[in-house]
Amino acid sequence: MLGLLNLALLAVLVAMLYGPVSRQITILGVLRHPAPLVLAEGQGFYKIEDTMQCEDLHYWSPTNKVFAVCEDSVLPRFKWFPPVGNFEGPATTTGSIHVIDPQTMKASRLAFENFAGPFVTHGFDVIEDPETPNAVYIFAVNHLSNPDFYQAAAVGEDVPRARSQVELFHHVLESSTARHVRSIRNPLIATPNDIYAESPNSFFVTNDHLYRTGYKRMIEDVLPLAKWSSTIHVQIHDFNAEDAAAGIDATVALTGLYNNNGLGHGKTKDEMLVVSCMGGTLYRAHANSGNHTITLGDAIRPGGQFDNPSYYSDPYRTASHDASGYVLGGMARPVDLAKHHSDPAAKDGAIVFYVRPKSGSGAAATEWESRVIFQDDGTLIRTASSAVLVPIETQTGQKKKAWLFVSGFFSESVIAVEVEL
């Protein structure tokens, strides 16, 4: 662990040689020391029961519900979770899909049909079923252990410990079940993190690292020059294939980003959000349907590290006040992750940025204003990797408010806090 910390400090020094010192220090959170969130009098706050370590969240406006894919217990992730280098396997846990009701602040689990796990959860996406108006497809990353690893290790072969894949589920809205459609596995899906679904048979998935373990992996964690991550496009040709590797095509859609991580849906139907997580950058992008590549547009840098992005569309917007914007949840001090990633008792603070076009800059704005709408030292929530806003009804002239749902890959529950926009 000491070596990792030294490497992190080395990364800051190297950054001084090729980029602004303050930017690298800010992203790592070296000088940020958040205090516990102090709730204002009357400010709403909830901890959502039975929502452990939900790394990603998605707000589904047609039903006014929040989808979450979570773990079923807290401790196993500190032993087996490939995204942070925890490889004390094999993977045995079975995570779950939850639907959170912002009206009751209760979460309900979806019972699986035709699926028994293991299911080590991470990023996911939700997309409508065009053939069934009241149903959705859910794509979810599953970090399985590699059944060939231990046998290969015995004879000296270099085989990865993890063999991650993507699970595809179908869910009828307001029902209590999710039917497993199929599993999806390909050598290009090596270190999957998050998913952007174009349609039920087309999606993008990020590989947040090129290397799974070792010193090259540590370099990727802390050195912005290591732009080795990628995004993969997957086309599904057969929904009934029992072999996870059959009936699909996978191609490289994007390379050249540092820690290409979270993906999200943006302001318009075709706006794709692409994140360089440890690079502290959100790209407004779009997918090219002809060759399944991704073209990056505006780069937004709010001033820290963040992960899975979301876009809040203000249903009460007026010509004079539109509260729509990008919501970006991250760690207050990601520099600490190197020593905390296997410690269940550690505290890791959370931060959420809210980004909007500068006033009067227009729809094609390239200038942005960012503010922190939530920050905590880990007392209320440990880590943040996703945040979504759910509107609270307001009348003309009233201050606009929303419920901010925050979750993290090490959090013990999703939290909801009332914020002013």
Side-chain angles (χ1 to χ4, degrees):
M1 294 304 169
L2 183 60
L4 285 172
L5 293 175
N6 290 337
L7 194 60
L9 294 175
L10 176 63
V12 174
L13 295 175
V14 171
M16 295 179 183
L17 302 178
Y18 79 94
V21 178
S22 60
R23 172 168 165 73
Q24 299 303 323
I25 290 176
T26 298
I27 291 172
L28 289 170
V30 174
L31 302 180
R32 184 182 287 118
H33 299 283
L37 174 69
V38 177
L39 297 169
E41 184 177 354
Q43 183 179 12
F45 176 82
Y46 293 88
K47 285 191 173 184
I48 313 300
E49 295 183 6
D50 191 31
T51 55
M52 292 170 280
Q53 299 171 339
C54 314
E55 197 268 351
D56 199 1
L57 301 171
H58 286 279
Y59 174 58
W60 192 252
S61 59
T63 56
N64 193 42
K65 301 290 174 61
V66 176
F67 281 90
V69 179
C70 314
E71 291 299 295
D72 285 354
S73 54
V74 169
L75 293 180
R77 177 152 290 191
F78 296 98
K79 298 292 186 180
W80 177 267
F81 192 49
V84 298
N86 292 342
F87 285 103
E88 193 175 328
T92 57
T93 59
T94 299
S96 46
I97 300 174
H98 299 240
V99 182
I100 302 170
D101 186 345
Q103 299 297 318
T104 64
M105 295 298 176
K106 303 289 187 182
S108 57
R109 291 174 176 237
L110 300 182
F112 289 134
E113 297 178 3
N114 195 37
F115 183 73
F119 186 25
V120 181
T121 62
H122 201 174
F124 75 103
D125 199 8
V126 182
I127 190 169
E128 65 181 357
D129 177 355
E131 298 181 358
T132 309
N134 66 328
V136 295
Y137 284 95
I138 301 172
F139 292 83
V141 171
N142 185 5
H143 290 294
L144 298 175
S145 48
N146 190 341
D148 301 326
F149 170 72
Y150 296 101
Q151 181 177 356
V155 296
E157 294 181 4
D158 185 14
V159 173
R161 290 182 175 91
R163 193 177 74 177
S164 304
Q165 60 188 33
V166 173
E167 310 295 351
L168 176 58
F169 299 91
H170 186 266
H171 167 60
V172 176
L173 296 170
E174 309 295 352
S175 75
S176 61
T177 62
R179 175 178 59 87
H180 187 249
V181 177
R182 62 162 295 172
S183 299
I184 299 158
R185 185 173 66 247
N186 184 276
L188 288 178
I189 306 174
T191 57
N193 185 301
D194 201 15
I195 294 172
Y196 175 94
E198 276 192 313
S199 70
N201 62 354
S202 174
F203 69 93
F204 295 86
V205 55
T206 56
N207 288 310
D208 54 28
H209 291 74
L210 176 61
Y211 298 97
R212 294 178 172 90
T213 58
Y215 282 102
K216 290 182 179 179
R217 166 64 179 240
M218 288 188 282
I219 290 171
E220 282 191 278
D221 283 338
V222 297
L223 191 61
L225 285 173
K227 299 179 179 181
W228 305 333
S229 55
S230 62
T231 297
I232 306 301
H233 176 264
V234 179
Q235 189 77 37
I236 304 173
H237 301 293
D238 184 358
F239 281 90
N240 299 313
E242 295 185 4
D243 182 351
I248 62 170
D249 288 323
T251 55
V252 177
L254 179 68
T255 58
L257 290 186
Y258 171 48
N259 194 209
N260 186 188
N261 201 309
L263 298 173
H265 297 265
K267 179 178 180 179
T268 62
K269 186 176 182 181
D270 62 349
E271 183 178 86
M272 183 179 188
L273 306 179
V274 179
V275 165
S276 167
C277 180
M278 289 303 300
T281 306
L282 169 70
Y283 294 95
R284 300 169 73 203
H286 70 268
N288 304 304
S289 58
N291 58 8
H292 302 303
T293 59
I294 297 170
T295 299
L296 301 180
D298 290 352
I300 302 172
R301 299 179 175 90
Q305 179 267 359
F306 54 89
D307 198 344
N308 302 300
S310 66
Y311 182 79
Y312 173 68
S313 181
D314 179 8
Y316 307 109
R317 58 186 173 271
T318 64
S320 60
H321 189 187
D322 184 354
S324 302
Y326 300 97
V327 187
L328 311 168
M331 295 180 65
R333 288 177 50 84
V335 68
D336 293 333
L337 187 60
K339 61 181 178 180
H340 290 175
H341 68 97
S342 60
D343 182 1
K347 289 177 66 174
D348 294 286
I351 190 168
V352 178
F353 301 96
Y354 181 46
V355 180
R356 298 165 57 192
K358 284 188 176 179
S359 179
S361 55
T366 56
E367 295 186 5
W368 303 88
E369 58 184 17
S370 171
R371 67 182 176 98
V372 174
I373 59 173
F374 175 87
Q375 189 168 193
D376 179 62
D377 70 344
T379 300
L380 295 179
I381 184 169
R382 180 179 177 183
T383 70
S385 50
S386 185
V388 298
L389 286 170
V390 175
I392 295 174
E393 185 175 359
T394 56
Q395 304 299 322
T396 302
Q398 290 182 331
K399 292 181 178 180
K400 293 193 177 185
K401 296 183 178 181
W403 286 110
L404 175 67
F405 288 80
V406 186
S407 187
F409 53 91
F410 282 157
S411 61
E412 293 193 3
S413 67
V414 176
I415 64 169
V417 59
E418 187 180 18
V419 295
E420 188 174 302
L421 303 178

